Structures are given as structure tokens and as C-alpha cells.
């Protein structure tokens, strides 16, 4: 039968959500939608029946999942997901907000090569060093602020925070935590991964429903442009208090500072 998702990867953009979903789909008890449904941010008026219809068929005991990273920063998403089911398990993949912002910019740059430089978009005023927090690339990384919105509707124990950095350096370890959180048997282990030196991140030895090795597509692991180090430092200083607050809220130190 098709069921509404019991677990959703809600964020964050350029954090490693696609990698996490691809890795999880190796598990026989996980069934997930490939494309991002964007139901709770863009398609909500289509209704839950439309949403359910997008889901893959599952057997008893299997978990239905989807991922749409923009949910984490969407004001209405927590209330909407909560009204679907208060018991929905939420997963957020986070990574260093400075590298996340640069990665976000790199993705946009690949589609629109004539956009302004990263440096000029970062500041409202370069002389005063005032950071432009309205730019989405900067805005998304203020994790503590977005999390406060989710905590109005969900207890912190119902949200798992996955480190985008550890997803690369120790995929099996992070996947172990995710499987425990979802109440799944720990089937995905280090024997499922190999490290691809060219790409600089782990790949699956065998993907879901295939016997061939599988790496994420060409759009993943793009080379970042060189960013002025002074600007990077300004951003580090800007994010530090928000990171500290985020570590306190989640009880996890992600080691970004």
C-alpha cells in the first residue's frame, strides 16, 4: 500500500541530503521517493491524497521516506507536518555553514555563470562588513534560528541531526545512528562503502536494486571557486554565535569552529 511518510529528511540544502537518502535506500526496510516532492512548501494546496500518491508502495514494517531540504527553512512546514502526523521522525543533515554557503553559491553559478561574485553577495556593505542575512545562501546556515521554529511543534528527540562532514569521513557510523533513530536493524555497514578518491567522497559498492557500484551524479562534489580568505573569516565570525547556540540546542558539537 502507499502510506504517508513516517520519516522525512527536512534539510538542509547542500548538506548531504541526497547522499544520505541514496545510502538509506540500500536498506530493505526503507522505501523512498526519488525526486523531492516539495509538498510542505510548494504543493501543500494539492492535499494529502496527492502527496500519498507520490509515495512508493510499502509492505508491513517498511518505512516510507522522502527528502526536501527546503522544508527546514520554510516557516509553515513544521505546523503542516505536525498536522499530518505528530509522530513523524525528522532528519536534518547539517554541515559547516560557511562551506555550505559556498557550495550553494557554486551550484547557482553552474546554472547562471553571470551572477555577481560570492564576496559581493555576502555583504550588505563591504566597508562596514555588514553581512547580508537576506541572501538565502547565508540565511540557510543560521541553523539555530530555523530550529527554534521546529521546536514549537516537535520535541528535540524526534529530530536527528546528521553531520554532513561525518557522512563523508565515516558514512557507516552516521548511517548507524540513522538506522537506530528510525528503529531499523543496522544492515548498512562499512562493507557497503568505498571511498572514491577522485570525487572525494564515499560511494556505494551496490546501489538499491543494482549490482553495480554507485556514486552520486556529476552535479555533486563540484569544485568550489576560490573565495577571498578575509571574507571566509568574516563569515566564520558571523556564524560562530549561531553555531554555539545550535550545539547547545542539539547537544552535539559539530566542530565547525
Amino acid at each position: 500500500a502507499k502510506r504517508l511518510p513516517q520519516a522525512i529528511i527536512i534539510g538542509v540544502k547542500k548538506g548531504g541530503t541526497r547522499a544520505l537518502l541514496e545510502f538509506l535506500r540500500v536498506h530493505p526496510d526503507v522505501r523512498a521517493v526519488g525526486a523531492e516532492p516539495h509538498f510542505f512548501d510548494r504543493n501543500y494546496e494539492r492535499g494529502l491524497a496527492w502527496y500519498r500518491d507520490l509515495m512508493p508502495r510499502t509492505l508491513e514494517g517498511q518505512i516510507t521516506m522522502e527528502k526536501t531540504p527546503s522544508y527546514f527553512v520554510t516557516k509553515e512546514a513544521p505546523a503542516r507536518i505536525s498536522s499530518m502526523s505528530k509522530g513523524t521522525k525528522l532528519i536534518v543533515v547539517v554541515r559547516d555553514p560557511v562551506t555550505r554557503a559556498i557550495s550553494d553559491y557554486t551550484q547557482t553559478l553552474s546554472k547562471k555563470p553571470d551572477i555577481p561574485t560570492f564576496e559581493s553577495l555576502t555583504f550588505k556593505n563591504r566597508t562596514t562588513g555588514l553581512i547580508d542575512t537576506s541572501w538565502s545562501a547565508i540565511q540557510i546556515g543560521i541553523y539555530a534560528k530555523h530550529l527554534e521554529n521546529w521546536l514549537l511543534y516537535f520535541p528535540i528527540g524526534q529530530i536527528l541531526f546528521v553531520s554532513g562532514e561525518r557522512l563523508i569521513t565515516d558514512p557507516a557510523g552516521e548511517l548507524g545512528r540513522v538506522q537506530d533513530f528510525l528503529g531499523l536493524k543496522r544492515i548498512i555497514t562499512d562493507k557497503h562503502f568505498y571511498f572514491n578518491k577522485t570525487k572525494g567522497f564515499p560511494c556505494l559498492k551496490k546501489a538499491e536494486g543494482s549490482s553495480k557500484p554507485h556514486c552520486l551524479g556529476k552535479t555533486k562534489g563540484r569544485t568550489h571557486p576560490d573565495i577571498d580568505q578575509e571574507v571566509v573569516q568574516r563569515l566564520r565570525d558571523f556564524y560562530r554565535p549561531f553555531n554555539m547556540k545550535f550545539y547547545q540546542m542539539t547537544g552535539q558539537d559539530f566542530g565547525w569552529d
Side-chain angles (χ1 to χ4, degrees):
K2 292 187 174 195
R3 296 181 179 87
L4 290 166
Q6 298 97 311
I8 303 177
I9 300 173
I10 57 170
V12 303
K13 183 183 179 196
K14 308 312 295 174
T17 59
R18 171 57 60 195
L20 178 61
L21 190 69
E22 298 284 319
F23 295 166
L24 268 175
R25 291 170 80 166
V26 171
H27 201 292
D29 291 336
V30 171
R31 302 285 287 120
V33 188
E36 297 173 3
H38 282 283
F39 176 64
F40 296 103
D41 58 352
R42 297 181 201 159
N43 293 305
Y44 195 61
E45 70 297 335
R46 293 175 181 235
L48 283 170
W50 176 87
Y51 183 50
R52 183 190 279 119
D53 200 50
L54 296 177
M55 299 300 144
R57 297 182 186 281
T58 51
L59 301 164
E60 202 53 55
Q62 287 183 319
I63 290 179
T64 304
M65 286 187 76
E66 71 119 313
K67 78 118 178 157
T68 305
S70 48
Y71 290 165
F72 189 61
V73 298
T74 301
K75 202 102 189 95
E76 303 77 19
R80 289 170 173 179
I81 293 175
S82 167
S83 79
M84 171 184 77
S85 163
K86 284 185 170 44
T88 311
K89 290 182 175 181
L90 308 170
I91 299 174
V92 189
V93 188
V94 286
R95 77 191 271 204
D96 181 324
V98 180
T99 42
R100 198 221 65 81
I102 296 169
S103 177
D104 198 331
Y105 173 79
T106 308
Q107 180 176 12
T108 311
L109 189 64
S110 72
K111 296 172 186 165
K112 305 179 191 156
D114 48 356
I115 55 167
T117 64
F118 180 87
E119 289 83 351
S120 63
L121 290 166
T122 297
F123 297 105
K124 266 207 175 95
N125 181 329
R126 181 100 194 231
T127 335
T128 61
L130 190 64
I131 304 262
D132 188 356
T133 53
S134 69
W135 183 31
S136 71
I138 304 277
Q139 174 68 241
I140 292 170
I142 309 173
Y143 304 138
K145 190 185 117 212
H146 304 300
L147 181 55
E148 280 174 345
N149 191 25
W150 288 88
L151 295 179
L152 301 173
Y153 297 90
F154 292 94
I156 192 90
Q158 220 167 298
I159 310 174
L160 181 72
F161 300 92
V162 172
S163 158
E165 285 83 14
R166 282 199 299 270
L167 200 53
I168 293 171
T169 56
D170 178 20
E174 284 300 278
L175 264 288
R177 293 178 58 239
V178 178
Q179 291 170 98
D180 292 351
F181 173 72
L182 294 173
L184 295 166
K185 271 210 211 72
R186 280 198 177 203
I187 287 174
I188 308 165
T189 59
D190 45 18
K191 66 173 190 295
H192 285 89
F193 301 99
Y194 71 93
F195 195 79
N196 180 318
K197 289 209 170 55
T198 335
K199 277 207 165 278
F201 49 71
C203 299
L204 289 166
K205 286 185 186 157
K206 289 205 269 290
E208 181 210 16
S210 145
S211 56
K212 297 198 299 285
H214 173 68
C215 284
L216 295 174
K218 290 184 187 54
T219 62
K220 304 295 174 186
R222 291 189 186 96
T223 311
H224 290 178
D226 282 330
I227 307 293
D228 180 342
Q229 278 313 298
E230 184 215 348
V231 174
V232 171
Q233 198 47 55
R234 283 276 177 86
L235 277 175
R236 295 223 164 276
D237 298 342
F238 166 77
Y239 278 120
R240 191 165 297 110
F242 297 112
N243 290 345
M244 291 305 157
K245 189 176 180 195
F246 185 66
Y247 297 173
Q248 278 175 318
M249 292 168 85
T250 59
Q252 264 173 271
D253 181 339
F254 290 89
W256 296 323
D257 297 285

